[in-house]
């Protein structure tokens, strides 16, 4: 389910596994240039997914409250579903990086469609009163599948785009998310007025569209193992330890029998400890990569801070507007203005990124966000909040596109999903904790304090970015898109 909080932009999604015969990820290796058609299909899958998630996500709290559940129950459902996705992301990234990317994306979308379809069906036939157990189960299944899809989708961008075209592909995904943020809540609200089931019908249909788009992609979505030696080495060490343990046990048994083995068995069953060690090594490979790569550390700090600040400022606006007597329409106005500004910034980002120095662009955006956040401390109405939020969402896309494109290019293909899951988990965790902090500060220190604290956090971020961006971004600048890139990107379908 989507959140109504403005985001810096990321792929959305779902997944499970299936027999390899149903979807083949092993197309011929000689077709190495993915077609523009697959990029458009991926954009369509992302936009459809985001639209349905925003439409159903905005009405789920209304549904639960309308069924008589308390705000505490509503918060529990949202918190459990969010935590489930954050915990599962790094784990499900392992099979995606191993080559099951298309299967994971396809079947996760299918599972999510059935989960949301079940909610719509119960609302339609069970007198509109589904049980809390059914709702919670459906949301958890959908959230689990979403975590799987998102993990696989993060590694897909690098496999369907030439290096010089990465900013354009990332900006297209960002534009889809922003467009869904504008249209989704409004569409969900209108459908909810007609029937409680319709927003969930829309969500199920959009998941089906996502599955069809993924299924229609013809690119080879399997990463070649050209890097990630750390994870492989850790796994091999665990295997070697298992073999050594097995050899020692065999030698000990032989000694007790009074016989001396002529050779140690070449293959011994792997112990449970060794299997878990190997799995832990693979799952934590993304953490190690982010920790040891200056570029990814910068992206981690920037996206985590910005996501947390946006969430805190959004909920500060909710608390302030509610206290001053403004209702849901006012927050809808704030979301619409910020979403429209973010969409405009995302559409303009590819052209701006081509003409801007990446280091200067990220540093400038980091400093420009500070006065806008600080000004929210003095905002008094929905139009003021909408204008300031709109300003934040308008200027962020160029920096977001640059950082995401550099992160994709700076990550080995076989670690894309795991490294991306680490970045997404950190940013999502900050966005999940920020509302509680904003509520605490508002209750104990006043409505202006969350905005001032957020501005202070952005000052620290701007200083950190100014000191670090020159060393990290300048050393990892992807090549500009060339006419040859465009010709290859429009090549024949695989």
């Amino acid at each position: 389910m989507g959140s109504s909080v403005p985001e810096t932009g990321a792929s959305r999604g779902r997944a499970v596994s299936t027999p390899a015969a149903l979807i083949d990820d092993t197309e011929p290796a000689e077709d190495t240039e993915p077609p523009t058609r697959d990029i458009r299909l991926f954009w369509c899958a992302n936009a459809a997914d985001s639209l349905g998630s925003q439409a159903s996500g905005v009405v789920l709290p209304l549904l639960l409250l309308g069924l008589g559940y308390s705000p505490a129950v509503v918060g529990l459902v949202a918190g459990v579903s969010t935590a489930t996705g954050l915990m599962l992301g790094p784990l499900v990234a392992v099979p995606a990086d191993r080559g099951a990317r298309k299967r994971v994306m396809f079947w996760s979308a299918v599972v999510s469609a059935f989960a949301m379809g079940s909610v719509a069906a119960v609302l339609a036939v069970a007198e509109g009163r589904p049980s809390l157990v059914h709702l919670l189960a459906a949301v958890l299944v959908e959230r689990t599948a979403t975590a799987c899809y998102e993990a696989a989708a993060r590694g897909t961008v690098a496999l369907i785009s030439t290096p010089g075209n990465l900013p354009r592909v990332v900006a297209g995904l960002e534009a889809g998310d922003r467009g869904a943020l504008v249209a989704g809540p409004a569409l969900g609200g209108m459908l909810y007025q007609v029937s409680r089931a319709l927003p969930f019908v829309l969500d199920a249909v959009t998941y089906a569209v996502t599955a069809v788009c993924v299924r229609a992609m013809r690119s080879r979505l399997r990463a070649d193992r050209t890097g990630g030696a750390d994870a492989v080495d850790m796994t091999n060490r665990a295997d070697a330890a298992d073999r050594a343990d097995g050899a020692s046990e065999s030698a000990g048994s032989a000694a007790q029998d009074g016989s001396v083995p002529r050779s140690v068995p070449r293959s011994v069953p792997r112990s449970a400890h060794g299997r878990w060690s190997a799995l832990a090594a693979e799952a934590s490979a993304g953490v190690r990569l982010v920790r040891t790569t200056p570029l990814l550390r910068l992206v981690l700090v920037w996206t985590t801070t910005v996501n947390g600040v946006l969430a805190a400022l959004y909920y500060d606006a909710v608390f302030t507007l509610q206290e001053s007597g403004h209702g849901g329409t006012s927050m809808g106005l704030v979301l619409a203005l910020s979403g429209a500004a973010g969409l405009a910034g995302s559409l303009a980002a590819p052209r701006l990124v081509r003409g801007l120095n990446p280091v200067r662009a990220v540093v400038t955006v980091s400093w420009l966000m500070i006065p806008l956040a600080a000004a929210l401390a003095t905002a008094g109405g929905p139009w003021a909040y909408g204008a300031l939020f709109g300003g934040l969402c308008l200027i962020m896309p160029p920096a977001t596109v640059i950082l995401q494109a550099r992160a994709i290019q700076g990550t080995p293909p076989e670690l894309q999903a795991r490294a991306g899951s680490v970045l997404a988990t950190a940013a999502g965790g900050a966005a999940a904790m920020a509302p509680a902090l904003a509520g605490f500060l508002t209750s104990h220190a006043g409505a202006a304090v969350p905005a001032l604290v957020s501005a202070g956090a952005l000052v620290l971020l701007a200083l950190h970015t100014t000191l670090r961006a020159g060393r990290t971004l300048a050393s990892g600048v992807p090549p500009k898109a060339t006419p040859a890139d465009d010709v290859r990107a429009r090549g024949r379908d695989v």
Side-chain angles (χ1 to χ4, degrees):
M1 295 256 179
S3 168
S4 298
V5 181
E7 301 171 349
T8 58
S11 301
R12 306 182 59 88
R14 353 289 159 194
V16 247
S17 62
T18 187
L22 294 180
I23 300 178
D24 186 11
D25 283 345
T26 59
E27 289 86 357
E30 60 269 16
D31 292 319
T32 56
E33 285 296 341
T36 300
R37 172 181 179 276
D38 281 1
I39 294 175
R40 292 172 178 166
L41 284 170
F42 193 52
W43 282 343
C44 180
N46 175 74
D49 178 11
S50 298
L51 178 66
S53 295
Q54 290 288 347
S56 64
V58 77
V59 303
L60 179 62
L62 301 178
L63 173 64
L64 292 171
L65 293 172
L67 293 174
Y69 297 109
S70 67
V73 172
V74 177
L76 177 64
V77 172
V80 170
S81 62
T82 300
T84 300
L86 292 177
M87 291 186 296
L88 285 176
L91 293 178
V92 297
V94 175
D97 277 337
R98 283 179 171 178
R101 185 165 281 108
K102 185 179 288 186
R103 294 196 298 273
V104 166
M105 293 167 65
F106 175 82
W107 284 103
S108 62
V110 171
V111 168
S112 294
F114 277 109
M116 292 297 98
S118 73
V119 174
V122 171
L123 286 171
V125 303
E127 299 181 355
R129 295 195 63 83
S131 68
L132 179 62
V133 173
H134 181 198
L135 282 175
L136 183 59
V139 170
L140 287 179
V141 168
E142 187 265 358
R143 185 59 245 180
T144 300
T146 295
C148 297
Y149 181 96
E150 289 173 347
R154 291 183 193 105
T156 302
V157 177
L159 300 175
I160 64 173
S161 173
T162 57
N165 205 34
L166 278 176
R168 173 175 167 265
V169 177
V170 172
L173 297 173
E174 176 92 359
D177 286 336
R178 295 295 180 176
L181 184 62
V182 176
L187 184 58
M190 289 189 295
L191 292 175
Y192 188 74
Q193 296 300 318
V194 178
S195 170
R196 286 178 170 180
L198 285 180
F200 301 97
V201 172
L202 174 65
D203 201 11
V205 170
T206 55
Y207 279 125
V209 171
T210 297
V212 170
C213 290
V214 170
R215 182 67 180 86
M217 293 173 66
R218 299 176 181 174
S219 296
R220 183 178 182 271
L221 299 184
R222 185 184 295 273
D224 295 327
R225 297 189 66 85
T226 57
D230 188 25
V232 177
D233 180 62
M234 292 292 289
T235 303
N236 291 339
R237 288 181 189 177
D239 292 342
D242 289 339
R243 289 193 293 271
D245 292 341
S248 298
E249 293 173 2
S250 299
S253 299
Q256 290 177 0
D257 294 339
S259 61
V260 179
R262 286 179 295 178
S263 62
V264 176
R266 296 181 62 186
S267 177
V268 250
R270 184 186 285 186
S271 68
H273 174 73
R275 287 194 297 270
W276 281 109
S277 297
L279 178 60
E282 288 208 58
S284 62
V287 176
R288 293 195 300 275
L289 181 67
V290 172
R291 188 182 67 237
T292 57
T293 306
L295 171 62
L296 296 183
R297 289 203 304 269
L298 174 64
V299 174
L300 176 72
V301 171
W302 203 93
T303 56
T304 300
T305 304
V306 170
N307 271 272
V309 163
L310 283 179
L313 292 175
Y314 172 78
Y315 278 91
D316 182 38
V318 171
F319 301 145
T320 304
L321 290 174
Q322 185 179 28
E323 185 177 348
S324 59
H326 295 88
T329 303
S330 299
M331 285 314 305
L333 174 63
V334 173
L335 284 174
L337 290 175
S338 60
L343 177 60
S346 299
L347 293 174
R351 184 171 299 177
L352 291 174
V353 168
R354 284 198 297 269
L356 294 175
N357 177 284
V359 176
R360 189 176 297 118
V362 173
V363 170
T364 301
V365 169
S366 300
W367 285 103
L368 287 178
M369 288 190 294
I370 298 171
L372 292 172
L376 284 168
T378 62
W383 285 103
Y385 276 107
L388 292 171
F389 265 112
L392 284 169
C393 294
L394 180 65
I395 66 174
M396 281 194 310
T400 301
V401 168
I402 289 171
L403 290 173
Q404 289 184 356
R406 297 300 189 275
I408 291 171
Q409 197 195 29
T411 303
E414 71 278 10
L415 289 176
Q416 288 277 343
R418 280 169 281 182
S421 293
V422 172
L423 299 176
T425 298
M433 292 186 293
L437 178 60
F440 177 83
L441 292 175
T442 300
S443 300
H444 292 82
V449 174
L452 296 177
V453 171
S454 297
L458 290 177
V459 169
L460 296 177
L461 175 65
L463 290 171
H464 178 80
T465 305
T466 302
L467 295 174
R468 301 291 183 182
R471 304 177 193 173
T472 56
L473 292 178
S475 61
V477 178
K480 292 181 178 291
T482 64
D485 285 335
D486 294 335
V487 170
R488 287 194 296 269
R490 297 188 183 94
R492 67 180 181 85
D493 293 347
V494 176

